[in-house]
Amino acid sequence: MRDMSRSRLHDGPGPSQRQLRVAELIRRRLSDVLVQGDVHDPELNSMSITVGEVTCSPDLKVATAYILPLGGNNRDEALDALRRNRSDIRRIVCRGLQLKFSPEIRFRIDETFDRLDDTRAMFANENVRRDLDAD
């Protein structure tokens, strides 16, 4: 599991163990729901969506899911489909989780892979390679 939660939530001490545990439970359950096609939306069910990470607010009332459609294409369509079905997704995901409240689930595009590509491109740059080789 990637631990980028600290940078996404706030600049404070970082998420609690409970936040991390609940976020991972939601991530797994959300992934299962999307793979199994539990939401009755043909457009959503026709998409292959990866849930890279979920972060939770300190009060566990808001969960932000960082998603990416397969191949990185049709991002807006995937977000629209998820947002259109957010209440059904929330109900299905939170069923069976032992939480006092069912958190609101917000969806954002996971830009981790874009940043990795940018970093690789930067290191491949002739000037950067020359500077690194000089060290």
Side-chain angles (χ1 to χ4, degrees):
M1 179 175 106
R2 297 172 303 170
D3 189 16
M4 295 183 308
S5 303
R6 294 180 187 278
S7 63
R8 286 198 173 143
L9 284 177
H10 49 73
D11 293 330
S16 68
Q17 286 299 310
R18 179 149 173 81
Q19 281 175 274
L20 293 172
R21 191 171 52 250
V22 169
E24 181 60 16
L25 287 171
I26 292 171
R27 188 195 68 76
R28 285 188 205 153
R29 184 74 180 111
L30 179 58
S31 292
D32 291 344
V33 165
L34 294 175
V35 166
Q36 295 168 3
D38 291 340
V39 179
H40 300 291
D41 182 335
E43 183 181 352
L44 180 60
N45 292 335
S46 70
M47 298 178 189
S48 182
I49 299 173
T50 300
V51 183
E53 182 180 16
V54 172
T55 59
C56 287
S57 63
D59 61 4
L60 304 177
K61 291 186 179 182
V62 177
T64 303
Y66 293 89
I67 61 99
L68 192 65
L70 185 64
N73 301 323
N74 304 321
R75 294 173 179 205
D76 292 335
E77 291 84 353
L79 278 177
D80 289 344
L82 289 165
R83 289 173 178 162
R84 185 174 57 246
N85 292 288
R86 84 175 57 195
S87 61
D88 286 341
I89 293 170
R90 179 183 186 179
R91 180 180 45 77
I92 295 167
V93 166
C94 293
R95 186 182 327 141
L97 297 180
Q98 302 294 320
L99 300 174
K100 188 173 184 176
F101 301 102
S102 295
E104 172 190 347
I105 301 176
R106 298 178 182 170
F107 299 98
R108 304 277 186 272
I109 293 296
D110 188 345
E111 297 176 350
T112 305
F113 299 107
D114 294 338
R115 287 193 301 267
L116 286 173
D117 289 342
D118 292 345
T119 303
R120 282 189 195 109
M122 180 182 69
F123 281 116
N125 180 296
E126 176 182 319
N127 294 329
V128 173
R129 291 185 58 80
R130 183 183 63 235
D131 289 345
L132 290 173
D133 290 342
D135 290 340

